[in-house]
Amino acid sequence: MRVLGIDGCRGGWIGVWYSPSELGWLFSTTLSDLLTVPAATHAFIDMPIGLSDKGPRLCDRAARQMLGRKFSSSVFPTPTRLALKGKDYPEANALNRQQSGSGLSKQSYYLLPKIREVDGWLRKTSSPSVLLREAHPEVAFNAINGASLCHKKKTAEGFQERLALLRQLDDRVTTLTENILATTRRKDVAADDILDACCLALMVRCGKFQTLPATPEKDGKGLNMEICYYGS
């Protein structure tokens, strides 16, 4: 089993793949190129997949509850499917309000291009060689730690806290992280993006597969609205 963890970054996408014999990485401007990693069977991506046609997704609510007040803000409100048609923020905001009764945050609006890219790949790829599912790094780190973390991920303390957790799963992650930091630009890939991708690849070493909620809803296109993680 080779697992690919994917995180969106300013320059495109950063992917880390894990197998017992190898830990590797790839940066790409397009998701489709990243998903051609040889022999990857499962991929977990930090980007919404199933999109509601009405109100907030149950998986987002469950993730915020799991993370607690300090980290719940890391789970952005997911746009509705209709909002994807917005050509600018005012239009996307109005479409989201029309479908859900709530406006669209600026943070969520800035994710729309990448959400469209993920949604397009899922709907156009009839027989994918890799199973792509949604995950959330902060949910995965919480499960790895068995409790809430102490520091926010964009702080120096938060980076070291998360790196230490990942080293418990695979000590090769230190060299991998140093390699990515040395060979990519911070304007393309932030340090926390690297650890997020590592986490989504390595979380498979942390117990049994689970989803939020335990029985996921499906959206109007038949896609699961779920957040996947591994834990005890």
Side-chain angles (χ1 to χ4, degrees):
M1 181 178 179
R2 176 178 280 194
V3 181
L4 178 64
I6 306 171
D7 191 50
C9 53
R10 186 172 297 179
W13 304 89
I14 181 73
V16 171
W17 68 83
Y18 160 78
S19 72
S21 61
E22 185 180 15
L23 192 65
W25 68 279
L26 178 67
F27 167 75
S28 176
T29 57
T30 63
L31 179 64
S32 58
D33 285 348
L34 203 64
L35 288 168
T36 61
V37 169
T41 55
H42 295 72
F44 296 101
I45 189 168
D46 179 20
M47 199 58 59
I49 288 182
L51 303 174
S52 176
D53 291 326
K54 41 185 181 180
R57 305 188 310 168
L58 293 181
C59 59
D60 295 334
R61 290 179 176 174
R64 292 189 194 100
Q65 184 176 3
M66 178 179 178
L67 294 175
R69 182 176 298 177
K70 185 174 182 178
F71 294 98
S72 62
S73 61
S74 67
V75 184
F76 295 162
T78 299
T80 62
R81 182 164 293 281
L82 187 60
L84 295 188
K85 297 182 179 180
K87 297 180 180 63
D88 52 30
Y89 177 69
E91 184 178 8
N93 186 46
L95 291 171
N96 202 80
R97 189 176 299 279
Q98 173 186 327
Q99 195 163 43
S100 72
S102 300
L104 187 68
S105 70
K106 281 290 182 70
Q107 295 100 322
S108 296
Y109 171 71
Y110 293 135
L111 293 178
L112 288 186
K114 282 187 163 54
I115 295 174
R116 291 189 192 104
E117 190 175 357
V118 173
D119 190 63
W121 185 88
L122 285 164
R123 295 173 64 194
K124 291 177 183 176
T125 309
S126 56
S127 299
S129 59
V130 57
L131 177 61
L132 181 64
R133 303 181 79 164
E134 179 180 347
H136 193 289
E138 289 303 295
V139 168
F141 276 120
N142 184 289
I144 293 167
N145 193 44
S148 296
L149 303 185
C150 296
H151 305 285
K152 296 293 183 71
K153 69 177 186 177
K154 290 190 178 295
T155 65
E157 297 84 357
F159 181 88
Q160 292 301 326
E161 181 181 26
R162 286 159 179 77
L163 182 58
L165 286 173
L166 295 176
R167 275 199 297 261
Q168 294 176 19
L169 301 178
D170 193 318
D171 58 11
R172 296 174 297 181
V173 74
T174 301
T175 301
L176 180 88
T177 301
E178 291 172 350
N179 187 9
I180 302 174
L181 286 170
T183 54
T184 59
R185 301 177 297 180
R186 299 291 72 77
K187 69 177 184 178
D188 290 331
V189 184
D192 58 286
D193 296 329
I194 299 168
L195 294 192
D196 285 350
C198 288
C199 179
L200 297 188
L202 292 173
M203 68 177 182
V204 297
R205 302 195 64 176
C206 187
K208 65 179 181 178
F209 175 79
Q210 301 181 59
T211 65
L212 297 174
T215 303
E217 307 171 286
K218 289 188 179 293
D219 72 0
K221 303 298 181 182
L223 299 172
N224 281 353
M225 293 188 282
E226 63 182 2
I227 293 176
C228 304
Y229 69 101
Y230 285 76
S232 56

